[in-house]
Structure formats: C-alpha cells, structure tokens
Amino acid sequence: MDSRRTSVVEKSLTAIASSSKKSAYYLAAMRPRQWTKNLVVFAAPLFAFSINLQSLVGCLLAFGLFSCASSGFYLINDIVDVESDRQHPVKCKRSIAAGLVSTRIATGMALVLLGSALIFGWLRSPQLGATITAYALLQIAYNLQLKRMVILDIGAIATGFVLRACAGAAATSIVLSAWFLVCTAMLALFLGIEKRKAELRLAQIRGNKPRSVLKYYSLPLLTRMENVVTTGTVVTYALWSAGPNLHGASTSWMLLTLPFVLYGIFRYQLLSDPEEIANYNDDIIEQGGRSERPEEILLRDLPILVTVIGWIITCFAILWLKHQGLID
C-alpha cells in the first residue's frame, strides 16, 4: 500500500515538474527579455512631468498590451525563420528552433496574444487601439518585405519604438513634445544601426550572412549613419531639455540629465567598438558585439544600468522640486 502511494506521489511530482518545464519553454518562446523595449511607453508621463496613479495604470496597460503584441510577432518570426535560426549560434537555442515548443502551439499562442492586445487596446481607447494596430501592420510589413530592404529595415525598427512612445501617450491622454518624438526616433535609429553593425561583424567572422539585407551594408556605411543619428539624438534631446522657451520640457533644469544621455551613448559605442570587443570576448558568438541584443546590454552592463537609474532619479528629483515650487 505504501509503495503504491509513493508511486502515485512520484508520478504527481514528475507531472508537475514536466508541466513547469513546458511553461518555462512557452514563456521563453515569448522572449520576455525583449519586453524591456516596451518600457518606452513610460516615457510619455515622465517626459511630460505627469506622473500620477492614473498615468501609471495607463502605462502599465500599454506595456502589457505591447508586450503581448510583440511576443506574438516574435513567435511568428521564430516559426517562419525556424530553419535559419537553427543555423545561428545564438538563435538555435530559442524554444521553437530547439524543438522545445511545437510550431502548432506557438501559432496558437501568437494568435491569442495578438488578438488580446488588439481587442483590449481598442476597448481602452481608439487612440491606443490605433497605435497597436499600426504596430501590428508595421510588423507584418517588416516581416514580409521591409527587413530585406536596406535602410528601410532600420527605419522600421525605429518606427516601432516611436509607436511604443505614442502608445504611452495614448493610454494616458498626454500630448507629446515634437522634440521628444524626434529624439526617440533618433535614439531608436542609433540602436538599430548598432544592431546591424553587430550582425554584420558576426557574419563576417562566420563567413556567412543570415540576413539577406546585410549584403547591402558595410561597416564604414553604418559608421557614417551612426554619426548622423548620434548627433541628431544629442541635439534633439538638448533642445527638448532646454525648456519651454524651445517648446520642450516644462523646465530647463532637465539639462542636468544631458550628461547621462551623453555617457549612455558613448558607453554603448564603446561596447560596440571592435577593439573593445576583441579585448574581452574570446567566444565567437560575442565577437560580433552585444549591441546585436540591446536588451542584454541594458540588463547586464552595470555602467549602462547605473546611467539609466541615475537619469530616472534625476528626472524624479527635478519633478519633485518643480512641484514643490523650488525651481521654475
């Protein structure tokens, strides 16, 4: 009798463990680390100095809906690219490429996630629903054609970040500054260019180019493009932070945050510099540079993380001082 009970308990524990593993595989297939990109939705109330319970709830909703939508398209991408991903040194470990999640289940997950994001977005407000719909159409266009079109592929990546910022504004009924939108677009272009640079370096090291669009790029071209958008990012952020006289932030004290932006950009460029990569990365997977995966830099590079936290703390300090009437 005891042996039967023991057998039943062991089977139950095995079933629970198996279920937990499957759940972990499903969650990994949704690429939760990529959700850090959706934190851009919180920029709307922060940059507008409109931080309250209502705006935070709205941004949390927008964050959740964009995370569902983006995960849905990540699943679709992994289903379509499953064979090429299996040839990639990093992407081969993804749940679908590794055979841990079937394409049938992944398809069902994608439909549920995308459908939920669109339905709840439109129920929240027409503006938020339209923004998520625009993001969905952009992703469809990107996967069907734009990712194979030189320059436009990077532009599509940047547009996705701008739509995220617009979603935060739509969910909180905040009107965004034109300088903020331009700065967001420039910074997103910078990240997109850095991503392509890392992919191109890794492709040159391995002797193949998994992305067809990479054949149109060269490191000198991407470096020149990077110089343009880096300058644009710094200039537009400086103009925004200069204050209301230039139709930017509500206080010129935001100029105090400019050093954080400068350091963050320079640090990111350092991490993507070939000599810096060669000094610290012996693994061929990393020799292309971590800028292929921006979320990895945000989560793992301590100086970048400290810079972001310092920028947020400074913004909140300026906001508090302004509300107290201690600064203009």
Side-chain angles (χ1 to χ4, degrees):
M1 189 69 176
D2 290 340
S3 61
R4 290 182 180 178
R5 288 180 179 177
T6 302
S7 178
V8 170
V9 171
E10 288 178 349
K11 289 180 179 180
S12 298
L13 292 174
T14 302
I16 293 172
S18 177
S19 178
S20 298
K21 284 185 178 180
K22 288 183 179 179
S23 298
Y25 297 149
Y26 297 153
L27 179 61
M30 294 166 61
R31 301 197 214 172
R33 288 191 175 186
Q34 299 284 350
W35 294 346
T36 54
K37 299 175 182 177
N38 300 324
L39 292 173
V40 175
V41 302
F42 290 94
L46 182 58
F47 277 76
F49 278 14
S50 178
I51 300 175
N52 50 55
L53 181 60
Q54 183 179 0
S55 65
L56 289 177
V57 170
C59 283
L60 282 172
L61 175 63
F63 175 82
L65 294 181
F66 253 87
S67 296
C68 288
S70 58
S71 289
F73 279 106
Y74 289 141
L75 287 165
I76 293 173
N77 291 344
D78 289 350
I79 293 169
V80 173
D81 299 335
V82 62
E83 294 302 327
S84 60
D85 284 352
R86 286 170 178 165
Q87 308 303 317
H88 192 278
V90 176
K91 296 178 182 180
C92 66
K93 299 177 182 178
R94 291 175 179 173
S95 297
I96 297 174
L100 302 174
V101 175
S102 69
T103 55
R104 181 179 61 84
I105 292 177
T107 302
M109 290 171 61
L111 292 175
V112 170
L113 290 169
L114 287 172
S116 300
L118 290 168
I119 291 171
F120 285 104
W122 281 102
L123 288 175
R124 169 69 180 188
S125 72
Q127 294 82 3
L128 181 58
T131 304
I132 296 175
T133 302
Y135 175 79
L137 293 174
L138 174 68
Q139 292 303 309
I140 293 172
Y142 179 80
N143 288 302
L144 290 178
Q145 189 62 35
L146 291 179
K147 69 179 182 180
R148 302 177 187 87
M149 301 178 69
V150 64
I151 299 177
L152 292 181
D153 63 321
I154 297 176
I157 295 173
T159 303
F161 280 94
V162 174
L163 287 174
R164 287 174 171 90
C166 291
T172 55
S173 301
I174 290 174
V175 178
L176 293 174
S177 162
W179 288 124
F180 165 73
L181 288 174
V182 175
C183 182
T184 301
M186 288 292 178
L187 184 58
L189 283 170
F190 170 77
L191 294 175
I193 292 169
E194 288 291 340
K195 178 179 175 65
R196 286 292 182 265
K197 283 176 65 178
E199 290 174 342
L200 183 58
R201 277 195 297 267
L202 181 59
Q204 291 175 344
I205 292 170
R206 293 179 58 85
N208 65 333
K209 295 184 178 181
R211 287 185 184 272
S212 59
V213 75
L214 290 178
K215 66 183 179 182
Y216 299 107
Y217 286 114
S218 67
L219 290 178
L221 170 62
L222 289 170
T223 299
R224 291 195 296 271
M225 292 170 63
E226 177 189 358
N227 291 337
V228 172
V229 298
T230 300
T231 302
T233 301
V234 174
V235 170
T236 52
Y237 186 86
L239 289 171
W240 172 83
S241 60
N245 289 335
L246 295 177
H247 305 287
S250 58
T251 172
S252 59
W253 284 92
M254 281 300 294
L255 282 168
L256 292 176
T257 64
L258 182 57
F260 292 103
V261 174
L262 287 170
Y263 178 81
I265 291 174
F266 294 156
R267 174 68 185 178
Y268 204 99
Q269 288 180 314
L270 174 65
L271 294 175
S272 66
D273 182 78
E275 292 187 10
E276 179 73 8
I277 295 170
N279 288 336
Y280 293 97
N281 292 317
D282 296 326
D283 189 343
I284 190 173
I285 295 175
E286 295 294 344
Q287 285 178 17
R290 284 184 293 162
S291 55
E292 182 186 1
R293 305 181 300 280
E295 69 282 357
E296 293 286 334
I297 292 180
L298 177 61
L299 295 173
R300 294 187 179 184
D301 187 71
L302 183 58
I304 288 285
L305 185 59
V306 170
T307 300
V308 172
I309 293 174
W311 179 84
I312 293 173
I313 291 174
T314 304
C315 287
F316 273 101
I318 293 172
L319 174 62
W320 182 83
L321 291 172
K322 182 175 172 57
H323 280 180
Q324 296 298 316
L326 299 176
I327 59 175
D328 296 328

